[in-house]
Amino acid sequence: MWFSMLRLVALSSLCFVTLAGAQAATEVASSDIQPLATQSLVLDIAKQGETMIAVGDRGHLFRFTDSWQQVISPSRALLTKATLLTPELGWAVGHDATILHTQDGGKSWVAQMRSPEIEKPFLDVLFFDANHGIAIGAYGLFYRTQDGGKQWQQEFHTELLYEEDQAYLDELKAEDESLYLKERSTLLPHFNRVVRLADDRLLMVGELGLAAESQDNGLSWQRIEFPYEGSLFNILVAKQGIYVLGLRGHLFKSAGDLEQWQAIELPSKSTLNGGIVLSDDKVRLVGNGGVVIDVTADDGVTKVTQRQGENLVAIGQDKSGTLWIAGTKGLVALQQK
């Protein structure tokens, strides 16, 4: 199964050629320092305290001091997501079921997992403390660690299947165990994003309108009735509510109960990929077609700018207050308005 364009699916229309080129360079080797790396595909920015890191094409890893600097990476796999638990402890995940770890705020990294035979990429990673965390991805890919990532164990959350698919698997398991295991690994939707809410519940979203909550750190999940059946790519937790970002400009907001979701109309139908909380009154969203949109607490919407010829995937703010956008043209400073 070929996953060079799976992140394209998860982000809806990132450049096919760019991702195919990234997947072609997934050998077991460290990523070299490249002078123009900050101008190539970057898929995520993570921040904790004054530490800010970014990840992207060909295993590229970046760390921000007064500017973005590339650091040596133990992988050449396309990296899709990063997280910082503390200013020192962080993880990055990506294609070839790759998981990388830093203990010094992104200055150096080690590989904790690489399993190209799984033929699925990780699309997000979340740690609850220094030992316990989960990594999620395509077709229900779900791994858990209880020792800081030294060992990862796979989980199958069939409770997130549709009833008819679960019945099919139950019947198949009684007839053919090997075929059951094969089918089980492809029936679940892509898990795109998981976050921890203020009340310690987990919220996860994905393909086919998947929205699910967990009250036990992801050991079990309950589907949430969601008003949209398309792809959901990201979650933004703000004081004014919980936002879910999706395909073709779909944006939804919940006051926090996860039972009622309000659709917010946007001036653009571009797919939304990322966002940042700017204040108690405003969040800023970025998406395909270079769109940058502000949404206020009273659901007022303003198109800040639209950068032609690029897709934006993530946005972060450095210690000086400068906003950085990431996407198909790398890391670019954005003037805050």
Side-chain angles (χ1 to χ4, degrees):
M1 194 175 299
W2 184 254
F3 277 105
S4 64
M5 292 179 290
L6 181 59
R7 188 58 183 171
L8 167 78
V9 175
L11 297 174
S12 183
S13 79
L14 280 178
C15 174
F16 278 70
V17 176
T18 303
L19 296 191
Q23 181 65 17
T26 56
E27 303 88 354
V28 182
S30 62
S31 178
D32 298 328
I33 299 295
Q34 301 291 332
L36 300 180
T38 57
Q39 299 174 36
S40 64
L41 179 68
V42 176
L43 290 180
D44 196 30
I45 299 172
K47 183 185 178 186
Q48 187 66 247
E50 294 190 355
T51 300
M52 189 160 68
I53 59 175
V55 301
D57 195 11
R58 302 178 186 274
H60 290 164
L61 294 161
F62 307 93
R63 184 174 186 270
F64 187 85
T65 51
D66 294 326
S67 61
W68 287 103
Q69 301 294 327
Q70 187 187 5
V71 299
I72 292 292
S73 171
S75 172
R76 289 187 180 176
L78 175 67
L79 300 177
T80 57
K81 207 71 176 178
T83 187
L84 285 165
L85 178 68
T86 70
E88 291 77 33
L89 295 179
W91 287 263
V93 298
H95 282 227
D96 288 346
T98 297
I99 302 177
L100 309 180
H101 177 46
T102 180
Q103 298 185 70
D104 56 13
K107 296 176 184 177
S108 63
W109 294 80
V110 297
Q112 291 188 326
M113 178 176 172
R114 181 184 181 273
S115 300
E117 70 279 2
I118 294 175
E119 297 184 324
K120 300 175 185 177
F122 285 118
L123 299 175
D124 200 11
V125 57
L126 174 67
F127 268 74
F128 314 120
D129 56 43
N131 291 317
H132 301 86
I134 57 176
I136 64 172
Y139 293 107
L141 191 64
F142 197 112
Y143 275 73
R144 182 183 303 274
T145 181
Q146 300 184 70
D147 58 9
K150 296 176 183 178
Q151 299 179 77
W152 292 86
Q153 294 80 37
Q154 189 171 18
E155 297 178 3
F156 287 96
H157 288 283
T158 52
E159 70 270 25
L160 294 176
L161 287 168
Y162 290 110
E163 288 185 9
E164 56 268 28
D165 289 334
Q166 183 63 69
Y168 164 68
L169 282 181
D170 290 342
E171 181 180 345
L172 192 62
K173 186 175 183 179
E175 299 174 354
D176 189 328
E177 180 73 17
S178 61
L179 184 56
Y180 159 76
L181 293 174
K182 182 178 179 180
E183 288 290 280
R184 184 179 69 170
S185 68
T186 60
L187 285 178
L188 282 167
H190 305 334
F191 298 158
N192 290 333
R193 186 79 166 106
V194 59
V195 302
R196 194 167 198 169
L197 305 178
D199 59 7
D200 287 337
R201 284 180 299 171
L202 302 187
L203 174 61
M204 181 168 66
V205 298
E207 302 302 301
L208 303 174
L210 171 71
E213 66 172 314
S214 173
Q215 299 186 34
D216 55 12
N217 284 343
L219 292 171
S220 63
W221 294 88
Q222 298 79 42
R223 273 186 175 267
I224 296 169
E225 186 173 344
F226 204 80
Y228 178 59
E229 296 182 352
S231 300
L232 304 173
F233 298 132
N234 214 328
I235 304 165
L236 194 60
V237 180
K239 183 176 180 180
Q240 57 267 38
I242 300 167
Y243 297 88
V244 170
L245 291 59
L247 188 68
R248 299 189 183 94
H250 282 90
L251 177 66
F252 301 89
K253 178 183 176 183
S254 170
D257 58 10
L258 305 185
E259 295 180 0
Q260 296 184 350
W261 294 90
Q262 172 192 353
I264 299 176
E265 291 296 322
L266 300 181
S268 169
K269 296 302 180 182
S270 295
T271 291
L272 300 172
N273 298 316
I276 187 172
V277 179
L278 292 182
S279 67
D280 288 347
D281 184 61
K282 185 188 297 183
V283 297
R284 179 161 292 180
L285 311 177
V286 297
N288 288 354
V291 67
V292 181
I293 294 174
D294 282 352
V295 180
T296 58
D298 61 0
D299 302 333
V301 175
T302 303
K303 181 187 285 188
V304 177
T305 187
Q306 187 155 9
R307 302 172 60 86
Q308 298 299 323
E310 60 184 300
N311 293 321
L312 304 179
V313 184
I315 181 170
Q317 189 171 42
D318 67 30
K319 56 188 177 183
S320 71
T322 299
L323 288 172
W324 292 88
I325 49 176
T328 50
K329 292 191 176 181
L331 294 154
V332 180
L334 179 69
Q335 186 66 39
Q336 187 168 339
K337 295 182 180 180

